[in-house]
Amino acid sequence: MLIRNVEVAGHAAPVDVRITGGRIAEIGPGLPGRDEVDGRGGALLPGLHDHHVHLAALAAEATSVRVGPGDVRDRTAFAAALASGPPGEWVRAVGYHEGVAGELDRWTLDALVPDRPVRVQHRTGALWVWNSAALRAAGLEGDGRFWREDERLRGFVPPVRLDLEGVGRRAAALGVTGFTNADPHPAGGLTQMLSVLPQRLLVMGVDEPVKLMLDDPTLPTPAQLAHTIGEIRPRPVAVHCVTRVQLLVTLLALDEVGPADGDRIEHGSVIPAETIPWLRRLGVTVVTQPHFPVERAAAYATDVDADDRPHLYRCRTLTEAGIPLAAGTDAPYGTPDPWAVMRAATERDDGERLQPEAALRLFTGEPQHPARTRRLAVGAVADLCLLHVPLRAALDALSGELVRAAYVSGRRIAPA
């Protein structure tokens, strides 16, 4: 296969790119060959890799009701959304935040929808709330609030249709050629189930790194976390850190056990300035979500402690300090569009704004080393994103609408 007349980083003029056996075999002007694609002067980039996403949950959105602040405005609209669909069937609602109708438990939901099983997921993905009808149907008791119990609850709910084909198709249209699935406890058979996706796939816990979840109510001591990490070594870990104390415990544990190549901090939601030299010394990569302060600005203004707000989802200060940085969408808990994440990273007004080139690099890293930018060079795997326009125009817009085609190992996956 030959992609002609494309802009490739490191080349002063448009070139041709030959792909053989799934890898780039030659780059240069005027290459002979057949099976050609005319790039028309557009930029040819490494395919985008979403370094933190929850694919099964994203695929389940097709049969879910959206009940976030951007979807329903108040309690009345929330009740109407929960009552939609065929009578008597389970309702799976996602994206909820307390700004819609306050704190939820089984009795709150009963007052809204008493006659059908309802389960509502908080937008963090950490909490499910079930009404009494759902609890009765599953033979469960309690107040209906289940914190980090997805693994246990799977056997109590009806099968949910997963639109994985749609997830793969939409992502490919945005130039996404790879995913890192970040579930802390991947279900058995998850890798096989996700294999229908056309993208390259890394599943944490099955592949490296190993995902470790931290929650403040059950937070281990640094010594306990160091022991856990020590049992995992020599494999790297990806530690979920969304609070100040979670980050501190993780850094202390890594100090004790020693860092490994490929260790990651997932989210890095709160990174106090005094921890930045510490992160640099450990060499740990931060995989963040720079769009959350933009998407959730109103909620963060009230939900986040004032002392933590200056330290949310750092980008620029980390890159300036030499700390490896990459990003994931965290979809479905954030937008699944990496270009929207890039735009958000360039539009922040809190001192963490990135230049467009740096924002693009957040999604062009190696799957297991997200901050190591992939380059188009002879011998490289041909996971590619072809744009309609040259790179400069693409950086001005940072829009998925500029994606013309995506290739995995030289095989075109978008458009279909």
Side-chain angles (χ1 to χ4, degrees):
M1 176 185 172
L2 194 65
I3 305 179
R4 290 199 179 278
N5 188 26
V6 287
E7 181 188 57
V8 173
H11 296 265
V15 293
D16 304 336
V17 177
R18 185 191 310 283
I19 300 168
T20 303
R23 293 182 177 271
I24 296 174
E26 195 173 1
I27 301 177
L31 298 180
R34 293 178 294 178
D35 192 16
E36 300 178 5
V37 173
D38 185 358
R40 304 172 195 160
L44 187 66
L45 309 175
L48 305 184
H49 190 99
D50 189 337
H51 294 289
H52 186 116
V53 63
H54 302 274
L55 291 165
L58 180 59
E61 279 210 318
T63 53
S64 303
V65 179
R66 297 287 312 176
V67 292
D71 308 295
V72 293
R73 292 175 296 179
D74 52 28
R75 183 182 178 89
T76 301
F78 178 46
L82 296 181
S84 63
E89 289 193 2
W90 281 71
V91 175
R92 183 183 192 273
V94 296
Y96 184 79
H97 181 266
E98 292 79 7
V100 172
E103 295 280 351
L104 298 182
D105 57 25
R106 68 184 291 180
W107 300 284
T108 308
L109 291 178
D110 288 349
L112 301 175
V113 186
D115 56 351
R116 63 189 305 179
V118 170
R119 54 186 178 124
V120 180
Q121 187 183 46
H122 194 270
R123 75 173 177 190
T124 60
L127 174 69
W128 282 98
V129 185
W130 292 24
N131 73 348
S132 295
L135 292 169
R136 285 193 300 270
L140 298 175
E141 298 180 351
D143 63 1
R145 293 170 61 86
F146 300 98
W147 178 265
R148 300 268 186 227
E149 294 193 63
D150 293 58
E151 193 172 10
R152 181 171 80 92
L153 295 177
R154 286 185 189 122
F156 293 104
V157 297
V160 175
R161 185 179 67 84
L162 301 182
D163 183 23
L164 288 167
E165 292 82 1
V167 168
R169 182 177 61 254
R170 290 185 290 272
L174 295 170
V176 176
T177 59
F179 293 115
T180 293
N181 191 77
D183 296 350
H185 304 291
L190 178 64
T191 301
Q192 182 177 357
M193 182 181 71
L194 297 179
S195 65
V196 302
L197 294 165
Q199 284 82 6
R200 195 173 300 279
L201 186 64
L202 184 153
V203 177
M204 285 186 181
V206 178
D207 309 304
E208 295 180 353
V210 176
K211 177 76 174 288
L212 295 178
M213 284 295 304
L214 298 183
D215 287 309
D216 285 1
T218 58
L219 195 64
T221 67
Q224 289 169 335
L225 182 58
H227 177 75
T228 299
I229 295 173
E231 291 183 325
I232 292 169
R233 293 292 192 237
R235 292 177 294 168
V237 294
V239 188
H240 168 99
C241 292
V242 297
T243 66
R244 181 188 297 247
V245 66
Q246 290 170 19
L247 178 66
L248 293 175
V249 167
T250 299
L251 296 181
L252 287 166
L254 290 174
D255 255 349
E256 181 174 336
V257 76
D261 184 35
D263 280 344
R264 299 164 44 153
I265 299 293
E266 299 300 308
H267 307 298
S269 306
V270 181
I271 298 182
E274 59 270 21
T275 65
I276 291 177
W278 199 352
L279 283 164
R280 180 177 180 179
R281 176 171 56 80
L282 288 170
V284 65
T285 296
V286 176
V287 179
T288 191
Q289 287 76 43
H291 51 308
F292 280 178
V294 177
E295 289 183 0
R296 304 178 177 182
Y300 283 179
T302 57
D303 295 353
V304 176
D305 189 283
D307 290 340
D308 286 340
R309 287 177 209 151
H311 312 298
L312 290 176
Y313 296 94
R314 290 184 180 274
C315 290
R316 180 178 174 179
T317 50
L318 297 184
T319 58
E320 289 179 345
I323 294 168
L325 183 70
T329 63
D330 201 24
Y333 312 115
T335 175
D337 181 355
W339 297 96
V341 178
M342 296 178 215
R343 287 196 303 274
T346 66
E347 295 169 356
R348 292 182 53 178
D349 58 3
D350 54 2
E352 297 298 337
R353 178 181 301 173
L354 292 178
Q355 293 300 310
E357 295 91 339
L360 177 61
R361 286 196 295 271
L362 296 175
F363 289 94
T364 56
E366 299 175 7
Q368 290 181 318
H369 295 91
R372 295 183 189 174
T373 302
R374 287 169 287 131
R375 307 290 182 186
L376 301 193
V378 172
V381 174
D383 293 354
L384 308 170
C385 173
L386 176 61
L387 303 183
H388 286 289
V389 298
L391 181 59
R392 176 47 53 192
L395 293 174
D396 287 342
L398 291 177
S399 170
E401 294 182 357
L402 300 179
V403 174
R404 179 179 166 193
Y407 303 83
V408 172
S409 293
R411 178 176 61 88
R412 188 165 181 157
I413 63 170

